[in-house]
Amino acid sequence: SLTLQRRTIPPHVEAAIRTALQKLPADRFSSAAQFAEALSRTGFTADMAPTVPSAAPARRLLIPDPRSLVPWAGWALAALAAAAAFGGWLAPGRSVELSRFAVNLPAEQAPRTDHDGTSLALSPDGRTLVYVGRGQRGRQLFVRRLEQLEARPIAGTDGAESPFFSPDGEWVAYFAEGKLRKVSLAGGPPLAVADVSSERGGVWGTDDQIVFVSSSTGGLLRVSAAGGSVDTLTTLRTDSGEISHRWPTLLPGNAAVVYGIQGPEGYSLAVVSLRERRQVILVRGASMAQYVATGHLVYATQEGSLVAVGFDPRSLRVTSSPVSLLEGLLVKVTGAAEFSISAGGTLAYLGGQTSGRTLVLVDQTGRERPLTRDLLGLAAPRFSPDGRRIALEALEQRSVAIRVLDTERGTLSRLTFEGQARYPEWTPDGRRIGFAWSRAGTLAYDLYQVAADGSGEPQELYRADNAQWEVAFAPSGRLAVFRESNPVSKRDLWVLPLDSPRVARPYLRTPFEERTPAISPDGRWLAYTSDESSVDEVYVRAFPEPSGRWQVSISGGTEPRWARNGRTLYYRTADSLVAVEVRPGPVFDVGQRRSLFSAPYQRASQHADYDVSPDGRNFVFVKAGPDAANLVMVLGWFEELRRRTQGGAQVDARD
């Protein structure tokens, strides 16, 4: 009897399920519609089930391959549990009984976690799950009602990450292509709300204001959900070594925000009153939190634990000692934790971990072979001028390091040992590597260079008030170009003389986002990406003076890289690598475009995440393996939360 497993299942549901599971076809329902009708009839009994007439011609019983049912089994259980919770099976006034189940999704609908943000969002009523999945053009949002068996993609949400719901559950906000966007679940195209340079989370308040983070090195901002002017809520406390604020969550009444702080020693949780704008540290070693109606602050640790503490939203004080709720939660190096809790007590989370990344060599036809395996945080590969080595960045515990792969020997040496080192680029002579570096205990990124053989310490190349990124060297070795993040003009390109004095001058400083600079082999042209047409496109201008402007890509393009002969320029669309013939001369000439192969490899909108070998025969890409992440749903989770935290020691809120 099912009621032995769950006493709240009504008799008519027990009868309908037992009828559906009968061995003989004649004893089962003849259609899914009859089964659904029986589930909704409170007076249904097993002897009311329609039988197949004895005079009916015999039919061949088609038994499906059990393996074909496995991907749907999880959602079938989810639908049954959701119906139990939301369909009125429980007696009035009784809470939803605790039930936990893993969800196995088909590969084409599986959550995708190969990005810096979060992947899951539950609607306030807990009945709808939105998540980042695998779309035809990369990442895309999917939506699924818990009583349904299939998810559906949300059109126009390519490149999405970190979704979150509006208070009424009718809209979903998310980040994509340098914008904070929102989309209605009832249909219609996504709408832009605000510009961002690098997302780190958001939350939609009941006052129709969105608190969000637009930079990986900034504070919290606030904007109307309809768009408009942006208000600054928090600023970094440089005297305390704060690097960024991220992953905000609102407290009841929208009067205060809890958020994560990235500092030299990792992450902490803080709260700020929006009236007084006063910041108070709450918990050390935690990166992301959500306040729930049981009076708890539920947060994630970098080690993958989900923890709860009692919390008073009026005094903004922790009121109990922490209690660990579960282990194995997927938490990223950015502090993003893969869990979401509805107002009614449904919990969704991803357990496991993101897979390592593989460096692959790909020829002109798309055939690939691996160069490395299972490197966490692998990104930004660059061939040395002789093609024998590849510089790259990789995650090393809580830092990002520049490493060099010797492709002949297979050795992987490390060049930096602290802070966050990003975007390596070789000097023309192959002796040094330039990169952007946020040293331990510092806030902004500046430009440095280090000997490629690992001898000596990194040397400062250029420092300024704003963050400096993406240095690229001219073939002459006398000039470099880099990207600056400016709070007013966004991402700009600057030229840096490499002799003394090193006084940089602006190359392109516009209201648009200019990035991914690449200097041609003859040093006369600069290719870059800009969103000046509201869509990312690849352009070319003269260098070192930005005269002329030629659009290279059509209908979108990013990540330009030059062939060594200077006669081919490559760029990426959402799903392809495109080669463009270019003709050198006094005037830049764009020739024929052709798609080489589908490129289902790691992408980065702010930096070219691949490179072309010096001989032009191969490319190096970063390939993401399948994530070892399991989607788990817990209905009635507040019951478990209350039980687990009953014995927690109380903390005097007056302390």
Side-chain angles (χ1 to χ4, degrees), residues 34 47 53 94 132 138 160 311 353 356 370 408 565 638:
Q34 288 183 348
D47 57 5
R94 299 190 65 175
V132 178
F311 184 75
Q353 61 183 12
E408 295 178 347
N565 61 17
F638 282 174

Side-chain angles (χ1 to χ4, degrees), residues 356-373 375 378-383 390-393 405 558-561 570-579 596-604 607-613 617-625:
R357 302 297 185 251
T358 301
L359 203 65
V360 292
L361 198 67
V362 184
D363 67 18
Q364 293 274 343
T365 66
R367 290 180 299 183
E368 66 177 47
R369 67 179 178 89
L371 296 175
T372 66
R373 294 188 182 276
L375 286 175
L378 174 60
R382 289 292 183 270
F383 279 107
I390 298 175
L392 52 91
E393 63 179 63
L405 171 70
T558 59
E559 303 176 73
R561 299 300 292 171
Y570 300 94
Y571 68 88
R572 298 177 74 177
T573 64
D575 55 0
S576 299
L577 181 68
V578 179
L596 296 183
F597 52 82
S598 176
Y601 303 112
Q602 180 172 285
R603 298 185 61 198
H607 185 72
D609 218 356
Y610 74 105
D611 199 16
V612 188
S613 64
R617 297 179 180 178
N618 297 292
F619 307 90
V620 60
F621 287 95
V622 177
K623 184 176 183 179

Side-chain angles (χ1 to χ4, degrees), residues 284-305:
R284 304 283 183 183
S287 62
M288 179 176 163
Q290 187 174 340
Y291 178 78
V292 297
T294 58
H296 294 92
L297 199 62
V298 179
Y299 62 86
T301 69
Q302 278 297 111
E303 293 72 28
S305 298

Side-chain angles (χ1 to χ4, degrees), residues 427-448:
T427 57
D429 59 10
R431 298 173 60 186
R432 292 161 295 161
I433 296 173
F435 60 98
W437 197 16
S438 175
R439 304 186 66 173
T442 62
L443 301 178
Y445 281 83
D446 297 301
L447 300 181
Y448 284 78

